[in-house]
Amino acid sequence: MAAPSKILVFDSGLGGLTVYREVAAVRPDADFVYVADDAAFPYNALDESALVARVVGLFDELIAAHCPDLAVIACNTASTIALPALRQKFALPFVGTVPAIKPACAASVTRRVTVFGTEATVAREYTRALIRDFAQGCQVTLVGSKHLASYAEAELVGTPASDAQIRAEIAPCFIDDGKRTDTIVLACTHYPLLLERLTRLAPWPVNYIDPAPAIARRVVDLLGPPAPSRAGTSRAIFTSGQGPRAALARFSIEPQSATVAEAG
Ligand code: DGL
């Protein structure tokens, strides 16, 4: 029988759990290691070269310690800058998370689309190039949020931000120039953690695009379908050494006491 697949899912914090849950749903037989580099959260605040060095340094240790078959970079802020360096240095397949601009623009009826991510993600040349290549005639508005990823973390540990705070972050996403924004790309993996509130607080109904199901399909393309009748395991590592136990329990993940030594 083939050895079970080991999948490493990586983010700066809890946002990657929105990707983890979709991948785990299609590969329930796999063994998962969820890694949150929360000692450096938020990645939005790191400059590009420091972020690449940090992520590559962490993967040096993670790959040596866990030997994953595949890694999912469940973070737009890291993927849009660090994927080439990771793929160059390490032989295993990396599945990245980048703004879902192509499907969003294909789906928009009003041709008004917003890409909503961290300030770093919306400023990246990678994101701008996706818009140049895939806007398909849509007007695309870029909105960088300073606080929403932290609000998502707070929500998950039981200290939610107020409605007014969330409204202030999402307000610039909604453009009405005679035609209204109808599609918003969630270009930060933390934001789907707030989906219910983003939907309730929207000034008008929109389609929020979460890339996680497409990422899960990509993992199955690369690793194949699940092995029948095997139940996989899931554990989490936080670079701070402290995982939020109750939040992880909601995703059926066991925190692990061992930590990854900090890179760089
Ligand atoms: N979850 C990360 C993303 O998808 C961002 C949060 C951060 O700034 O660290 O971009």
Side-chain angles (χ1 to χ4, degrees):
M1 207 172 74
S5 298
K6 187 180 270 191
I7 301 174
L8 194 150
V9 180
F10 180 87
D11 183 33
S12 58
L14 301 173
L17 292 170
T18 65
V19 177
Y20 159 78
R21 70 183 165 200
E22 297 292 332
V23 180
V26 295
R27 285 299 309 262
D29 62 314
D31 292 329
F32 287 89
V33 182
Y34 183 83
V35 180
D37 185 15
D38 61 332
F41 179 86
Y43 274 2
N44 183 47
L46 297 189
D47 82 45
E48 293 189 350
S49 52
L51 177 53
V52 173
R54 181 167 181 94
V55 173
V56 170
L58 279 172
F59 267 90
D60 248 333
E61 296 180 40
L62 290 167
I63 290 170
H66 301 287
C67 307
D69 298 298
L70 178 148
V72 178
I73 306 299
C75 175
N76 293 261
T77 310
S79 295
T80 49
I81 194 69
L83 275 176
L86 289 167
R87 287 180 173 140
Q88 196 187 1
K89 178 144 194 212
F90 304 109
L92 78 163
F94 285 89
V95 177
T97 307
V98 298
I101 290 163
K102 190 177 179 182
C105 290
S108 172
V109 173
T110 63
R111 321 302 290 151
R112 302 289 182 275
V113 171
T114 293
V115 177
F116 187 36
T118 63
E119 293 163 313
T121 293
V122 302
R124 299 259 197 262
E125 173 51 28
Y126 190 102
T127 304
R128 311 272 161 140
L130 286 176
I131 294 170
R132 282 197 299 276
D133 292 346
F134 299 117
Q136 301 158 70
C138 288
Q139 282 186 30
V140 179
T141 302
L142 285 164
V143 176
S145 168
K146 199 188 263 313
H147 302 297
L148 203 67
S150 298
Y151 294 165
E153 296 260 326
E155 183 94 4
L156 211 53
V157 299
T159 53
S162 68
D163 283 357
Q165 286 174 308
I166 291 186
R167 265 199 203 98
E169 295 299 302
I170 68 173
C173 296
F174 291 82
I175 306 290
D176 185 350
D177 60 6
K179 287 184 178 178
R180 286 175 160 185
T181 305
D182 68 353
T183 307
I184 297 180
V185 177
L186 297 178
C188 171
T189 54
H190 279 74
Y191 300 174
L193 293 170
L194 293 168
L195 188 58
E196 221 172 275
R197 298 187 73 192
L198 299 180
T199 303
R200 179 166 58 76
L201 298 171
W204 58 78
V206 290
N207 185 15
Y208 288 109
I209 308 275
D210 174 0
I215 293 166
R217 285 194 295 276
R218 180 74 187 135
V219 170
V220 170
D221 284 348
L222 290 167
L223 287 182
S229 65
R230 177 180 196 273
T233 60
S234 296
R235 60 217 164 99
I237 295 169
F238 283 70
T239 56
S240 68
Q242 291 280 328
R245 202 163 264 282
L248 291 169
R250 286 173 48 186
F251 291 81
S252 309
I253 298 185
E254 192 56 43
Q256 179 166 306
S257 48
T259 60
V260 187
E262 282 201 30

